[in-house]
Amino acid sequence: MDSRRIENMTKNRKLLIISVLLCFVMILACIFFLQNNSSNKLLYSQEYVVGQGNIKGNVNIESFLERSEYFDIGANSYGYAVFKEPNTAFAVFVELYSDGIELVQKEFNLGPLTETNYDGYKQCAFLMAGDSEAEKQARFIPEFLDIYENSFTLS
């Protein structure tokens, strides 16, 4: 009789361990799904037409396209302006505006501008004055980054 009791206890422990592991896996799957689902809503999903639907703000998308065809703006599912191809837009931005970026970096002692390290540039670049090409480029940095960050964070 004791051996059956021990056998039942062992089976119950195994079932408990399996149940806990399954719950843990299901929780992880739910977290993963929710994170991916919310980040997809931040990417381009509709055209940006001021005053239509849920579109927020008043971004002059033509002024961005005049700077580069890669700065094509659409809207995310929340109606905020985003670049249709944010990674490409960022790479082209860094290439085209390297003088302005370098000027801001040196002036404010900032680290390199990257896809995740841009807050300092956004906050400091608008302080740049002057008429040199690098200073003009520097003043465009916050405009670009305002749109760029909408693809990754909900403002």
Side-chain angles (χ1 to χ4, degrees), residues 12 15 34 49 53 57 64-67 69 83 125 136 143:
N12 287 340
L15 286 174
L34 290 174
V49 181
F64 280 83
L65 281 173
E66 287 170 4
R67 293 174 182 268
E69 66 183 282
F83 291 110
K136 289 176 184 176
E143 291 179 55

Side-chain angles (χ1 to χ4, degrees), residues 40-47 74-79 82:
N40 285 340
K41 290 182 178 182
L42 295 173
L43 298 175
Y44 165 67
S45 64
Q46 60 183 321
E47 293 303 314
N76 62 23
S77 64
Y78 299 106
V82 296

Side-chain angles (χ1 to χ4, degrees), residues 35 38-44 56 75-83 86 115-119 122 144-155:
Q35 284 180 335
S38 64
S39 62
N40 285 340
K41 290 182 178 182
L42 295 173
L43 298 175
Y44 165 67
K56 297 181 177 49
N76 62 23
S77 64
Y78 299 106
Y80 292 102
V82 296
F83 291 110
E115 292 91 344
T116 57
N117 179 34
Y118 55 81
D119 282 335
K122 192 174 163 199
F144 178 89
L145 293 175
D146 276 341
I147 304 301
Y148 177 74
E149 77 176 343
N150 288 343
S151 295
F152 307 104
T153 60
L154 187 57
S155 343

Side-chain angles (χ1 to χ4, degrees), residues 10-72:
T10 304
K11 285 181 183 179
N12 287 340
R13 282 188 186 147
K14 287 180 182 178
L15 286 174
L16 179 63
I17 291 170
I18 290 172
S19 297
V20 168
L21 286 174
L22 283 174
C23 286
F24 182 70
V25 168
M26 289 177 64
I27 290 170
L28 286 177
C30 287
I31 291 170
F32 179 76
F33 174 75
L34 290 174
Q35 284 180 335
N36 282 342
N37 193 26
S38 64
S39 62
N40 285 340
K41 290 182 178 182
L42 295 173
L43 298 175
Y44 165 67
S45 64
Q46 60 183 321
E47 293 303 314
Y48 187 89
V49 181
V50 175
Q52 290 193 355
N54 68 340
I55 300 301
K56 297 181 177 49
N58 188 15
V59 176
N60 181 349
I61 60 176
E62 295 304 319
S63 70
F64 280 83
L65 281 173
E66 287 170 4
R67 293 174 182 268
S68 172
E69 66 183 282
Y70 297 103
F71 296 169
D72 197 10

